[in-house]
Amino acid sequence: MTSALITLCVALTGYFATYLNGLRLSQRERGLERLNRQLAELYGPLLALVEANHGAYRMFSRLHPRDDGRSLFQHHPDRPGDQPPTDEELAEWRTWTEAIILPNQRAMRQILTTKADLLVEPEMPGLLMELYVFSAIDEIELPRWVTGTRTQLPQEYPAGAATRYVRARFDELKRKQTRLLGSRG
Protein backbone atom coordinates (compact mmCIF):
# COMPACT_ATOMS: atom_id res chain seq x y z
CA MET A 1 0.00 0.00 0.00
CA THR A 2 2.79 2.43 0.91
CA SER A 3 4.71 1.80 -2.29
CA ALA A 4 1.53 2.34 -4.33
CA LEU A 5 0.98 5.66 -2.54
CA ILE A 6 4.60 6.70 -3.18
CA THR A 7 4.25 5.75 -6.85
CA LEU A 8 1.03 7.77 -7.10
CA CYS A 9 2.69 10.83 -5.45
CA VAL A 10 5.71 10.57 -7.78
CA ALA A 11 3.41 10.24 -10.81
CA LEU A 12 1.29 13.25 -9.73
CA THR A 13 4.40 15.31 -9.04
CA GLY A 14 5.77 14.39 -12.46
CA TYR A 15 2.46 15.26 -14.10
CA PHE A 16 2.31 18.70 -12.42
CA ALA A 17 5.96 19.41 -13.21
CA THR A 18 5.32 18.51 -16.86
CA TYR A 19 2.18 20.64 -16.89
CA LEU A 20 3.94 23.68 -15.38
CA ASN A 21 6.90 23.31 -17.74
CA GLY A 22 4.53 23.09 -20.72
CA LEU A 23 2.70 26.18 -19.50
CA ARG A 24 5.99 28.08 -19.12
CA LEU A 25 7.12 27.03 -22.61
CA SER A 26 3.76 27.99 -24.09
CA GLN A 27 3.95 31.44 -22.48
CA ARG A 28 7.51 31.91 -23.75
CA GLU A 29 6.44 30.89 -27.27
CA ARG A 30 3.53 33.34 -27.21
CA GLY A 31 5.87 36.08 -25.98
CA LEU A 32 8.36 35.28 -28.72
CA GLU A 33 5.58 35.23 -31.31
CA ARG A 34 4.41 38.72 -30.25
CA LEU A 35 7.97 39.99 -30.17
CA ASN A 36 8.59 38.65 -33.69
CA ARG A 37 5.43 40.40 -34.89
CA GLN A 38 6.51 43.67 -33.22
CA LEU A 39 9.82 43.51 -35.08
CA ALA A 40 8.47 42.31 -38.43
CA GLU A 41 5.26 44.32 -38.67
CA LEU A 42 5.86 47.51 -36.68
CA TYR A 43 9.34 48.49 -35.53
CA GLY A 44 11.34 46.95 -38.39
CA PRO A 45 9.34 48.56 -41.23
CA LEU A 46 8.97 51.81 -39.28
CA LEU A 47 12.73 51.96 -38.70
CA ALA A 48 13.44 51.36 -42.38
CA LEU A 49 11.03 54.12 -43.43
CA VAL A 50 12.21 56.67 -40.84
CA GLU A 51 15.84 56.02 -41.73
CA ALA A 52 15.07 56.19 -45.47
CA ASN A 53 13.43 59.60 -45.06
CA HIS A 54 16.22 60.83 -42.82
CA GLY A 55 18.77 59.63 -45.39
CA ALA A 56 16.85 61.26 -48.25
CA TYR A 57 16.80 64.56 -46.37
CA ARG A 58 20.55 64.36 -45.68
CA MET A 59 21.20 63.62 -49.35
CA PHE A 60 18.96 66.50 -50.44
CA SER A 61 20.85 68.83 -48.07
CA ARG A 62 24.21 67.69 -49.51
CA LEU A 63 23.05 68.11 -53.09
CA HIS A 64 21.34 71.45 -52.44
CA PRO A 65 23.36 73.26 -49.75
CA ARG A 66 22.46 76.73 -48.58
CA ASP A 67 25.12 79.41 -48.22
CA ASP A 68 24.83 79.56 -44.44
CA GLY A 69 24.83 75.77 -44.04
CA ARG A 70 21.48 75.72 -42.28
CA SER A 71 18.60 73.53 -43.24
CA LEU A 72 16.16 74.76 -45.84
CA PHE A 73 13.48 74.57 -43.16
CA GLN A 74 15.30 76.52 -40.45
CA HIS A 75 14.64 79.81 -42.23
CA HIS A 76 11.48 81.76 -41.57
CA PRO A 77 10.42 85.06 -43.11
CA ASP A 78 9.40 86.51 -39.74
CA ARG A 79 12.96 86.24 -38.35
CA PRO A 80 15.27 89.16 -39.16
CA GLY A 81 18.08 88.16 -41.51
CA ASP A 82 16.58 84.80 -42.42
CA GLN A 83 16.22 83.99 -46.05
CA PRO A 84 13.22 81.78 -46.65
CA PRO A 85 13.46 79.01 -49.23
CA THR A 86 13.40 80.20 -52.81
CA ASP A 87 10.79 78.99 -55.26
CA GLU A 88 13.48 76.88 -56.94
CA GLU A 89 14.48 75.26 -53.61
CA LEU A 90 10.86 74.53 -52.78
CA ALA A 91 10.26 73.08 -56.25
CA GLU A 92 13.24 70.77 -55.84
CA TRP A 93 12.11 69.75 -52.33
CA ARG A 94 8.61 69.13 -53.68
CA THR A 95 10.10 66.71 -56.22
CA TRP A 96 11.92 64.82 -53.45
CA THR A 97 8.79 64.90 -51.29
CA GLU A 98 6.58 63.49 -54.03
CA ALA A 99 9.05 60.79 -55.03
CA ILE A 100 10.47 59.64 -51.69
CA ILE A 101 9.28 61.40 -48.55
CA LEU A 102 5.52 61.32 -48.96
CA PRO A 103 5.26 57.65 -50.05
CA ASN A 104 7.35 56.71 -47.00
CA GLN A 105 5.21 58.89 -44.74
CA ARG A 106 2.05 57.26 -46.10
CA ALA A 107 3.53 53.85 -45.33
CA MET A 108 4.42 55.03 -41.79
CA ARG A 109 0.88 56.26 -41.21
CA GLN A 110 -0.49 52.95 -42.47
CA ILE A 111 1.76 51.02 -40.11
CA LEU A 112 0.85 53.22 -37.14
CA THR A 113 -2.84 52.94 -37.96
CA THR A 114 -2.92 49.17 -38.44
CA LYS A 115 -0.20 47.94 -36.07
CA ALA A 116 -0.59 50.17 -33.01
CA ASP A 117 -1.52 47.10 -30.97
CA LEU A 118 2.12 45.99 -31.30
CA LEU A 119 3.57 49.08 -29.62
CA VAL A 120 5.81 48.49 -26.62
CA GLU A 121 4.08 51.34 -24.77
CA PRO A 122 0.47 51.10 -23.56
CA GLU A 123 -0.41 54.33 -25.43
CA MET A 124 0.71 55.90 -28.69
CA PRO A 125 3.92 57.82 -27.90
CA GLY A 126 3.73 61.55 -28.55
CA LEU A 127 6.63 61.43 -30.98
CA LEU A 128 4.80 58.90 -33.17
CA MET A 129 1.68 61.06 -33.07
CA GLU A 130 3.85 64.01 -34.11
CA LEU A 131 5.18 61.99 -37.08
CA TYR A 132 1.64 61.04 -38.04
CA VAL A 133 0.38 64.62 -37.91
CA PHE A 134 3.48 65.96 -39.67
CA SER A 135 3.01 63.60 -42.58
CA ALA A 136 -0.72 64.38 -42.76
CA ILE A 137 0.10 68.10 -43.02
CA ASP A 138 2.53 67.34 -45.86
CA GLU A 139 -0.27 65.42 -47.58
CA ILE A 140 -2.49 68.51 -47.38
CA GLU A 141 0.18 71.01 -48.37
CA LEU A 142 1.68 69.16 -51.34
CA PRO A 143 -1.25 69.84 -53.71
CA ARG A 144 -1.11 73.47 -52.64
CA TRP A 145 2.55 73.61 -53.66
CA VAL A 146 1.58 72.38 -57.10
CA THR A 147 -1.11 75.04 -57.52
CA GLY A 148 0.98 77.76 -55.90
CA THR A 149 -1.48 78.24 -53.03
CA ARG A 150 0.56 76.69 -50.25
CA THR A 151 -0.26 78.14 -46.85
CA GLN A 152 2.71 76.86 -44.87
CA LEU A 153 6.40 76.46 -45.39
CA PRO A 154 7.57 72.90 -44.84
CA GLN A 155 8.28 72.32 -41.18
CA GLU A 156 11.40 70.72 -39.75
CA TYR A 157 10.70 67.00 -39.59
CA PRO A 158 11.57 65.38 -36.23
CA ALA A 159 13.79 62.87 -38.03
CA GLY A 160 16.57 62.63 -35.47
CA ALA A 161 14.24 62.06 -32.54
CA ALA A 162 12.09 59.64 -34.54
CA THR A 163 15.09 57.63 -35.67
CA ARG A 164 16.47 57.45 -32.12
CA TYR A 165 13.09 56.41 -30.70
CA VAL A 166 12.37 53.68 -33.27
CA ARG A 167 15.99 52.45 -33.25
CA ALA A 168 15.94 52.15 -29.44
CA ARG A 169 12.70 50.12 -29.48
CA PHE A 170 13.92 47.93 -32.34
CA ASP A 171 17.28 47.25 -30.61
CA GLU A 172 15.55 46.52 -27.29
CA LEU A 173 13.22 44.00 -28.94
CA LYS A 174 16.09 42.38 -30.86
CA ARG A 175 17.99 41.86 -27.58
CA LYS A 176 14.90 40.26 -26.02
CA GLN A 177 14.43 38.09 -29.10
CA THR A 178 18.04 36.92 -28.94
CA ARG A 179 17.67 36.05 -25.24
CA LEU A 180 14.45 34.13 -25.84
CA LEU A 181 15.85 32.26 -28.82
CA GLY A 182 18.98 31.44 -26.86
CA SER A 183 16.97 29.99 -23.97
CA ARG A 184 14.58 27.81 -26.01
CA GLY A 185 14.08 24.29 -24.91
Side-chain angles (χ1 to χ4, degrees):
M1 179 72 176
T2 306
S3 70
L5 190 56
I6 291 172
T7 302
L8 180 62
C9 286
V10 168
L12 284 174
T13 302
Y15 169 77
F16 283 119
T18 301
Y19 170 77
L20 291 175
N21 189 49
L23 185 62
R24 180 184 60 82
L25 289 174
S26 174
Q27 288 172 335
R28 184 186 315 163
E29 285 300 315
R30 281 195 311 273
L32 182 58
E33 186 178 302
R34 175 174 169 73
L35 199 145
N36 288 338
R37 284 190 62 222
Q38 287 175 304
L39 287 167
E41 298 174 27
L42 177 65
Y43 291 102
L46 200 55
L47 180 61
L49 292 165
V50 168
E51 286 188 345
N53 273 5
H54 192 57
Y57 176 75
R58 286 191 314 269
M59 180 60 70
F60 174 85
S61 297
R62 272 199 301 270
L63 294 173
H64 305 282
R66 298 200 92 203
D67 291 340
D68 64 3
R70 289 171 49 204
S71 162
L72 180 68
F73 309 112
Q74 292 174 332
H75 297 268
H76 299 281
D78 56 336
R79 290 189 202 151
D82 267 7
Q83 293 189 329
T86 65
D87 288 341
E88 293 80 21
E89 287 172 323
L90 288 174
E92 187 62 28
W93 179 246
R94 183 177 61 239
T95 299
W96 283 65
T97 298
E98 289 174 328
I100 302 169
I101 304 297
L102 209 49
N104 287 347
Q105 288 178 344
R106 287 178 186 133
M108 283 187 250
R109 284 199 328 264
Q110 180 69 21
I111 290 168
L112 291 174
T113 302
T114 61
K115 304 298 180 179
D117 62 312
L118 296 174
L119 286 165
V120 170
E121 298 86 356
E123 296 178 1
M124 180 72 73
L127 180 61
L128 294 182
M129 286 304 302
E130 187 178 340
L131 283 176
Y132 192 97
V133 169
F134 183 95
S135 67
I137 290 170
D138 268 1
E139 198 80 51
I140 293 166
E141 288 298 318
L142 189 64
R144 292 178 179 165
W145 285 0
V146 173
T147 63
T149 59
R150 97 179 154 262
T151 58
Q152 293 185 8
L153 286 174
Q155 301 298 306
E156 182 103 32
Y157 186 70
T163 302
R164 285 188 299 277
Y165 164 82
V166 178
R167 166 64 64 197
R169 295 307 175 279
F170 182 85
D171 290 348
E172 171 189 332
L173 292 172
K174 285 299 284 182
R175 284 190 298 276
K176 285 182 181 179
Q177 182 187 50
T178 299
R179 280 195 308 273
L180 283 172
L181 290 172
S183 64
R184 283 185 118 167

